[in-house]
Amino acid sequence: MGIRLICLAAGYLFGLFQTSYIIGKRHGIDIRDYGSGNAGTTNMIRTMGTKAGILTFLGDCLKCVAAVLVVRFLIGRGHPDILPLLELYGAAGVILGHNYPFYLHFRGGKGIAATAGIVISLHPVIAVLGILTFFGAFLTTHYVSLGSLLIYVGLVIEIIALGQMGEFHMSQPALYEMYVLILLMAVLAFWKHRENIKRLLAGTERKTYLSRKNKQ
């Protein structure tokens, strides 16, 4: 359990790099005081424009990639039998650090851009399907929240399927632990998006566009 906590803690430290907050402060604002109040990509696009949103996405995505790589090449090298599991613990730590940064009174984002780092880091199949899932939903509906939630539905299905196919080369108990972890991460994502889900069901969710100004 100790090595798992180390990976989780290392990921949390990476997650504390709040890209949107840093960009906002450079422009004299706290992004959490504007728009939806969320320190994430979508609120940056709506509040400060597409360029700021893209920079936020890249920063949040890459911090998760960096955490996974640190686990892969430094922390997890002595545990090759459970390496994918440890990588997921590192990624989970990033999500927690992003969503609940202690130095910002635990007011962060929703962890979706950071989740993109998981998608592109864990397995090529997950990367391809994740990209198709998100952009298929977003470009069709312009609902970022819908694409974000479908990403997690896909992650759960894909990780379980690939695990049972032997793609992660781990024992069954380690695979079960991995499945539980990604399910908990999905539950957290749905919880963070609970208001979005209500608006999606009511047909009042706000759409987001990359090519033109986002208006109410």
Side-chain angles (χ1 to χ4, degrees), residues 60-88:
D60 289 345
C61 175
L62 291 176
K63 70 186 179 187
C64 190
V65 173
V68 170
L69 292 178
V70 165
V71 170
R72 181 177 301 170
F73 294 112
L74 296 180
I75 300 175
R77 292 185 67 177
H79 304 271
D81 55 321
I82 56 169
L83 183 56
L85 174 62
L86 296 181
E87 290 174 350
L88 192 59

Side-chain angles (χ1 to χ4, degrees), residues 152 156 180-193:
Y152 265 102
V156 171
V180 170
L181 182 56
I182 191 60
L183 279 169
L184 290 174
M185 294 168 67
V187 168
L188 176 60
F190 272 74
W191 171 255
K192 294 290 286 186
H193 284 81

Side-chain angles (χ1 to χ4, degrees), residues 31-103:
I31 188 61
R32 300 171 304 162
D33 295 331
Y34 293 81
S36 66
N38 183 60
T41 299
T42 304
N43 197 30
M44 285 295 282
I45 292 175
R46 292 171 177 169
T47 303
M48 299 187 64
T50 301
K51 180 179 178 180
I54 291 174
L55 289 175
T56 298
F57 175 84
L58 290 175
D60 289 345
C61 175
L62 291 176
K63 70 186 179 187
C64 190
V65 173
V68 170
L69 292 178
V70 165
V71 170
R72 181 177 301 170
F73 294 112
L74 296 180
I75 300 175
R77 292 185 67 177
H79 304 271
D81 55 321
I82 56 169
L83 183 56
L85 174 62
L86 296 181
E87 290 174 350
L88 192 59
Y89 269 105
V94 175
I95 303 299
L96 290 175
H98 177 80
N99 290 359
Y100 305 106
F102 72 90
Y103 68 98

Side-chain angles (χ1 to χ4, degrees), residues 131-158:
I131 292 171
L132 291 176
T133 297
F134 178 80
F135 283 102
F138 172 65
L139 294 177
T140 301
T141 67
H142 296 286
Y143 292 134
V144 174
S145 56
L146 179 61
S148 302
L149 294 170
L150 289 177
I151 279 284
Y152 265 102
V153 173
L155 267 176
V156 171
I157 295 171
E158 291 148 20

